[in-house]
Amino acid sequence: MVRVILRRLIQLVVTLIALTTLVFFWLRSLPGGPVDALLGERATPQTRELLTRALGYDQPIWVQYGRFLKNVVTGNFGNSIRTGEPVTDVISRAFPATVELSVAAIIIAVGLGVPLGYLAARHRGRLLDNTTIIVTLVGISIPIFFLGYLLKDWLTQGLHIFPPSGRISTGMDNTDVTGFFVLDGLLTRELDASADALWHLVLPALTLATIPLAIIIRITRASVLDVLDEDYIRTADAKGLRNPTIRKRHVLRNALLPVVTIIGLQTGALLAGAVLTEKVYNWGGLGTLITDSIGGSRDYPVLQALILLAAAVFVVVNLVVDLSYAIIDPRVRVR
């Protein structure tokens, strides 16, 4: 197991170095580049030359790359072009909002997707199975922004069940400790604020969970059906093992590997920033920050940090998925 962890950690470091290299050269190949983005309409040949020298862009490329790697390791991404604040401060304010929303969405998707997929496979060809297939097709096909506006119009403006937007009600007293509003309310014993933040979280999380939920249901169903057709399942049944034992030890555990892969990929994608969902519900997370940075300001320092953060999230999630393989399937540890 230790050998597996060390091998995956080495692969993680190599992958991150490759990604930082791609980001470094990508930023310098963009039209105008960071210098024009910083100067904007005030750019003149003289000011451009001065800023190029100040930022070190006139030095050899390997010197620039070494400085870039040092800044990445130390977390020094400079200041935002839009706000003038340190990039780390800008991202640290938005990141908890996206994590809170993504974790809630993936909990909903996994908590409903795995059991429904398993039940659909166990009742193959029956009403439950056919209904699940139709519902998942609709869930995958419907655009997320359309579903968001539909649910928002129906459940907030029509039935007035959920709040329409934002992370917490205006005027609600909430002490910001971690940036996770639900958790902050619990830590400071402001239970009303925690409940209000949770109520604001439900509808965006349901919207964001739709596509991952549909995918997890379909993958779980297909994986369980494959396992049910294996010879060792028929052998276990013929030996007289009880159905709960067969389902737990042989069916579900062997069917989990592809499901865990999908869960990892969906988690990484959600944490990287759910742009459309955050826009619909005015959530103020990384998705909103990405669209604001890509707009007219061309906030390259923030974009650079967001790209590296998204890449790091994907790599770390894949590491966790690989390690979970070794826990679920002992044969992976031997390979």
Side-chain angles (χ1 to χ4, degrees), residues 39-60:
L39 293 174
E41 297 178 354
R42 298 176 285 107
T44 64
Q46 292 78 16
T47 56
R48 190 181 291 112
E49 182 181 353
L50 288 173
L51 187 59
T52 299
R53 192 179 300 115
L55 294 176
Y57 291 155
D58 59 332
Q59 297 182 2

Side-chain angles (χ1 to χ4, degrees), residues 88-109:
T88 50
D89 291 347
V90 174
I91 292 179
S92 63
R93 284 199 303 269
F95 191 57
T98 296
V99 172
E100 192 172 54
L101 177 60
S102 301
V103 169
I106 207 66
I107 287 174
I108 293 171

